[in-house]
Amino acid sequence: MEKRVSTRSIVITGMFAAVIAVLAQVALPMPSGVPVTLQTFAIALTGVVLGAKLGMAAAGVYILLGAVGVPVFSGFAGGLGILFGKSGGFIWGFLFLALLCGLGCQIKNKVVGWGLGIVGLAVCHLLGIFQFMVLMKMGFAESALLVSVPFLIKDVVSVAFAFVLGLQIRKQLFRADILQGAAPKKATVEKP
């Protein structure tokens, strides 16, 4: 049976793509050319709140908007040059971060769920290191020291905070019936 996408899902996906774009503008430039931003927090929060499918869709919409030139990336940048530039690997990695944070929010054991988010963060960093390494013709360790290691503590804290805040937002959105489908429904007993 084919499941149709609801208008509500499209709207909330677009809203979270906008949240990512806004938080991407909070940036601190770094000498490596890869800035410190709130994008990691925004992507993790999106995955936790929306779940794997919608969270990944929101990250995809954000990337697509940037790819066609809408200035949604850090520093009000956009275009394919950013996606295939020094920091582009991290942007591609956002898809995996959103997906794994979205899967992690659905696991009952919150420590294991957060761990899944950290795996998503590791994939994001590895893609970022790899693309930087190739473009800059540097070794893996040297690239990691420039574009990953300085951001690791901030990014791990970002994912943790996204889980704490995101799970609360998610619960409230289900309670308000804005998100549907992934929350367990309360059993009702019919009176005879």
Side-chain angles (χ1 to χ4, degrees), residues 20-82:
I20 298 166
V22 169
L23 291 178
Q25 303 318 315
V26 179
L28 177 66
M30 296 295 281
S32 65
V34 177
V36 174
T37 72
L38 289 181
Q39 285 172 309
T40 304
F41 169 73
I43 294 289
L45 181 70
T46 298
V48 172
V49 172
L50 298 183
K53 193 185 318 183
L54 290 180
M56 194 171 173
V61 167
Y62 167 73
I63 293 169
L64 185 60
L65 287 170
V68 298
V70 179
V72 295
F73 298 142
S74 177
F76 294 101
L80 291 174
I82 302 298

Side-chain angles (χ1 to χ4, degrees), residues 114-189:
W114 177 74
L116 201 51
I118 295 301
V119 170
L121 179 64
V123 171
C124 184
H125 272 254
L126 286 172
L127 289 173
I129 293 166
F130 180 73
Q131 188 161 320
F132 185 87
M133 179 180 80
V134 169
L135 291 174
M136 301 306 290
K137 297 178 179 28
M138 299 170 96
F140 181 84
E142 188 180 7
S143 297
L145 286 172
L146 276 174
V147 299
S148 176
V149 173
F151 307 100
L152 279 177
I153 292 173
K154 186 248 343 151
D155 286 350
V156 169
V157 169
S158 292
V159 170
F161 186 58
F163 266 85
V164 170
L165 182 62
L167 289 171
Q168 294 304 312
I169 294 169
R170 181 177 174 82
K171 186 187 328 179
Q172 295 304 319
L173 290 175
F174 274 113
R175 188 172 289 154
D177 202 30
I178 293 171
L179 283 178
Q180 298 173 333
K185 300 282 184 188
K186 290 185 180 178
T188 57
V189 178

Side-chain angles (χ1 to χ4, degrees), residues 1-5 53 180-181:
M1 175 166 29
E2 189 175 317
K3 192 173 181 181
R4 294 182 351 154
V5 178
K53 193 185 318 183
Q180 298 173 333

